Amino acid sequence: MSLHPLVADGEALDPLEMVPSEERPPQEDRPWLFTNMVATLDGATAVDGLSGGLGDDDDLAMFRSLRASADVILVASRTANVEGYRPPVPSTATDRAREAHQRRVRPLIAVVTASLSVDPQLELFADPDYRPMVLTVADAPVDRRARLEEVATVITIDGADDGGVDLVAALQHLHSEGHRTVLSEGGPTLNAQLIAADLVDEWNLTISSSLAAGDAARPAQGAASPDLRAFDLDRCWRGDRSLFGRWVRSAVDGQRR
């Protein structure tokens, strides 16, 4: 596999024209699950608690192109709170990309939270024309549910053994509503849970050319997978200061030890 730069024959490649056209077939009972994370050379996913400082214009272009490929954006409540999530902002270019692949104008943001700890005052919930989804469990706090039901569609999902939202059941619910692709934007704990449940079909990682040290989390951190899963490198692009990799679950069984 060779390294493919973001410029070829002197002309810049547009991720928004290419990434949404990549193959992402849904599974029998759930959507295709792919990720997008950024990390420093030494694996840190945040500086001063936020990931935004790690990216550049190339990373923003990749971020937009991956969002343009998603029917649903899955995010944990802590990440939504800390990063100040807001409704996706459509543009003419993303509108064209989404329309070409029969996706609605804006992807649905679905927040995963067993405790309903997502802040209902986030900008995410302030647009009357955009109603996010909140995935929770049956015994979530009643008062928090009432507040969130005013600004979001709150869906009860089976509880997992650890008391969290059963992510297999969550993806099955999204599949039942006709969603074909789900993009996980983390954070690291949610990604680790998805890996442990063997739900990740595609891993996208931006490697920022910086070092941070410190104790920031890895792109996936927490619940361990019982098996190592084999992924094939599908593309690798180079920006001015970053590398952009896409790995897809190996067609050969998908397991290695």
Side-chain angles (χ1 to χ4, degrees):
M1 175 65 70
S2 58
L3 187 66
H4 300 278
L6 279 177
V7 289
D9 300 326
E11 296 184 6
L13 304 178
D14 185 357
L16 196 54
E17 291 183 358
M18 303 174 69
V19 173
S21 297
E22 293 170 335
E23 187 176 1
R24 294 183 174 89
Q27 308 296 321
E28 281 189 16
D29 61 347
R30 65 169 179 84
W32 177 273
L33 190 287
F34 61 120
T35 68
N36 183 30
M37 294 293 287
V38 59
T40 62
L41 293 172
D42 55 334
T45 56
V47 175
D48 295 329
L50 298 174
S51 63
L54 300 180
D56 55 16
D57 288 345
D58 291 332
D59 181 57
L60 180 59
M62 183 61 72
F63 172 83
R64 289 171 173 165
S65 69
L66 287 165
R67 278 196 162 195
S69 310
D71 293 331
V72 177
I73 297 168
L74 198 67
V75 61
S77 58
R78 184 179 185 280
T79 296
N81 289 337
V82 171
E83 299 284 352
Y85 264 56
R86 61 192 69 187
V89 179
S91 69
T92 301
T94 55
D95 284 352
R96 283 199 302 265
R98 295 185 67 80
E99 183 179 4
H101 296 279
Q102 293 81 52
R103 305 194 192 286
R104 65 183 190 174
V105 175
R106 291 194 280 182
L108 171 67
I109 292 184
V111 182
V112 181
T113 170
S115 63
L116 292 179
S117 57
V118 62
D119 183 0
Q121 299 301 314
L122 284 176
E123 285 188 50
L124 175 61
F125 303 111
D127 185 345
D129 297 322
Y130 184 85
R131 194 170 181 85
M133 178 180 289
V134 175
L135 302 170
T136 191
V137 294
D139 60 354
V142 175
D143 57 336
R144 294 181 182 177
R145 180 187 291 268
R147 289 196 296 271
L148 283 167
E149 284 178 337
E150 295 177 1
V151 293
T153 301
V154 181
I155 303 295
T156 299
I157 301 293
D158 293 340
D161 291 341
D162 62 1
V165 175
D166 185 326
L167 295 173
V168 173
L171 290 181
Q172 289 173 341
H173 172 78
L174 294 172
H175 182 270
S176 73
E177 293 200 336
H179 299 298
R180 297 166 294 160
T181 55
V182 173
L183 169 63
S184 172
E185 293 185 346
T189 300
L190 176 60
N191 286 339
Q193 292 167 342
L194 290 165
I195 292 170
D198 194 23
L199 294 172
V200 177
D201 299 300
E202 171 187 345
W203 186 262
N204 290 278
L205 178 65
T206 298
I207 302 175
S208 171
S209 57
S210 55
L211 293 170
D215 57 0
R218 297 158 44 194
Q221 188 158 317
S225 174
D227 300 293
L228 290 177
R229 297 289 169 177
F231 281 70
D232 297 328
L233 179 60
D234 182 77
R235 61 164 157 75
C236 187
W237 291 341
R238 177 178 58 83
D240 288 338
R241 293 183 53 81
S242 302
L243 289 176
F244 302 89
R246 179 191 192 229
W247 290 263
V248 178
R249 182 193 291 265
S250 176
V252 182
D253 185 15
Q255 286 196 41
R256 67 182 179 200
R257 295 185 184 275

